[in-house]
Amino acid sequence: MKQLLVIIGGPTACGKTAVSVELCRLIGGEVISADSMQVYRGMDIGTAKVTEEEKQGIPHFLIDELDPWEDYSAAVFQRLAKKYIGEIAERGHMPVVAGGTGFYINALIYNNDFSEEERDYSIREELTAELSEKGAEYMYSLLKEIDPKYAESVHANNIKRVLRGIEFYRETGRLFSEHNAEEKRREPFYDARIFVLNMDRERLYRRIDLRVDKMVEDGLVDEVKRLLDRGISRKAVSMQGLGYKETAAYLAGELSLDEAVYKIKRDTRHFAKRQLTWFKHQCKEAVWIDMGSFESAREAVEAIAAGLRT
């Protein structure tokens, strides 16, 4: 029998943290984060990282487990998440995966093969040099030429995934979007029950704007400055995250603070739209939860719990 796994997905700022915690309190669960940024220590404000108070005593995994200079990928997430799922199940609790990084969630559910035995690392070195010389925008435009379908699902700032798409094509002559589609056709490794949180687009965008304002108020600039002072390169994968790249540009005198904040809000809204598109296209079996229909996270959780019982 396959391990039951609850997935709480959806766009940024839609309430995944509160819902996942409330759900765990109700069904005896523990949370595994499927966020590509909250895994990094010292990157708290710009990632809207769950606080100890928000956790309400519920164990969380893949939060604060890596340093900002360390590599994090779908393969690393998959390996660690599978380990934690086994440990949580052994304790008799329910694994609840919460986050908006759809590629990570997909890799976990379908146990995608990330074997790198035949990888040609010279190609990655060439791409890294090309990135340094021509910049992230050029690399993204290159990906769009090679594999427009995959490029639609990737943010231009997510340089790790951009490079991987180009790298895969140069290694194999095949499109990464086709490879991902093949992986998606695999038999699911888990009995995954997927719930995608959503809300009215205008309300979601308003929440995003308010969240960014609060990040700045809470000290986002100082957080990014501390990271840079520690020697974290602006080119590090972790520093390509929304909020960090723009704030680093402000600190370098390349943008005013108002310009940086505007870009963070705009790009986060675009990111949320792409997240929704990904879940709609990739998770046909998901149950969609309209957060605007509920007065509280608890009410939404009761609807999810009812769905789990069917």
Side-chain angles (χ1 to χ4, degrees), residues 5-160:
L5 192 64
V6 180
I7 310 288
I8 304 296
T12 187
C14 69
K16 295 186 295 294
T17 295
V19 166
S20 60
V21 168
E22 283 293 330
L23 180 62
C24 286
R25 292 181 65 196
L26 183 64
I27 66 174
E30 300 182 28
V31 176
I32 298 170
S33 170
D35 187 286
S36 63
M37 292 294 295
Q38 292 196 13
V39 72
Y40 291 115
R41 302 182 189 98
M43 304 184 82
D44 304 329
I45 298 171
T47 65
K49 187 176 292 176
V50 58
T51 64
E52 290 303 317
E53 182 179 359
E54 289 170 333
K55 289 178 184 177
Q56 297 187 51
I58 299 298
H60 281 62
F61 303 92
L62 294 178
I63 300 285
D64 285 335
E65 293 199 25
L66 297 179
D67 287 310
W69 55 83
E70 293 185 85
D71 184 39
Y72 194 49
S73 64
V76 176
F77 165 79
Q78 181 201 70
R79 174 173 56 81
L80 294 175
K82 286 170 69 176
K83 170 179 173 287
Y84 289 132
I85 288 168
E87 293 174 357
I88 292 168
E90 284 180 5
R91 288 191 285 272
H93 291 168
M94 178 67 71
V96 175
V97 177
T101 309
F103 185 58
Y104 285 14
I105 292 170
N106 196 66
L108 178 63
I109 294 173
Y110 292 95
N111 198 29
N112 290 358
D113 182 10
F114 291 102
S115 173
E116 299 187 350
E117 291 179 358
E118 299 180 7
R119 290 282 298 275
D120 181 354
Y121 288 97
S122 66
I123 295 176
R124 174 53 64 96
E125 292 173 2
E126 291 170 5
L127 288 172
T128 302
E130 204 169 342
L131 170 66
S132 298
E133 180 184 348
K134 299 182 178 179
E137 289 187 14
Y138 171 81
M139 301 307 291
Y140 185 65
S141 67
L142 188 58
L143 178 64
K144 286 197 292 185
E145 290 179 14
I146 292 170
D147 191 347
K149 186 173 182 180
Y150 178 64
E152 285 181 5
S153 68
V154 178
H155 191 280
N157 287 349
N158 193 338
I159 195 61
K160 177 169 58 180

Side-chain angles (χ1 to χ4, degrees), residues 131-249:
L131 170 66
S132 298
E133 180 184 348
K134 299 182 178 179
E137 289 187 14
Y138 171 81
M139 301 307 291
Y140 185 65
S141 67
L142 188 58
L143 178 64
K144 286 197 292 185
E145 290 179 14
I146 292 170
D147 191 347
K149 186 173 182 180
Y150 178 64
E152 285 181 5
S153 68
V154 178
H155 191 280
N157 287 349
N158 193 338
I159 195 61
K160 177 169 58 180
R161 289 184 63 193
V162 169
L163 294 185
R164 182 61 185 130
I166 301 170
E167 180 183 38
F168 185 83
Y169 177 75
R170 291 186 181 179
E171 281 180 348
T172 67
R174 299 175 59 227
L175 301 182
F176 203 43
S177 58
E178 294 176 353
H179 168 74
N180 287 342
E182 290 172 1
E183 291 291 319
K184 182 66 171 66
R185 288 193 290 270
R186 284 172 172 247
E187 181 72 17
F189 188 72
Y190 293 102
D191 178 8
R193 311 293 177 84
I194 306 172
F195 299 88
V196 179
L197 310 188
N198 193 16
M199 62 180 59
D200 173 77
R201 192 68 58 87
E202 185 177 334
R203 181 185 175 196
L204 178 63
Y205 287 175
R206 193 161 56 243
R207 284 169 62 95
I208 288 170
D209 288 350
L210 289 172
R211 172 181 279 190
V212 173
D213 287 337
K214 188 173 188 307
M215 286 176 178
V216 175
E217 181 182 324
D218 288 347
L220 176 61
V221 173
D222 288 339
E223 178 173 270
V224 175
K225 186 176 185 303
R226 283 195 299 271
L227 291 165
L228 295 171
D229 288 345
R230 288 173 57 194
I232 309 300
S233 170
R234 286 179 63 184
K235 294 180 181 178
V237 170
S238 61
M239 292 296 285
Q240 302 305 309
L242 284 166
Y244 291 92
K245 181 177 182 179
E246 298 83 358
T247 305

Side-chain angles (χ1 to χ4, degrees), residues 14-15 18-19 22 198-199 203 207 289-303:
C14 69
V19 166
E22 283 293 330
N198 193 16
M199 62 180 59
R203 181 185 175 196
R207 284 169 62 95
I289 304 294
D290 180 8
M291 295 299 288
S293 302
F294 304 102
E295 293 294 327
S296 66
R298 180 70 183 193
E299 288 186 11
V301 162
E302 288 171 356

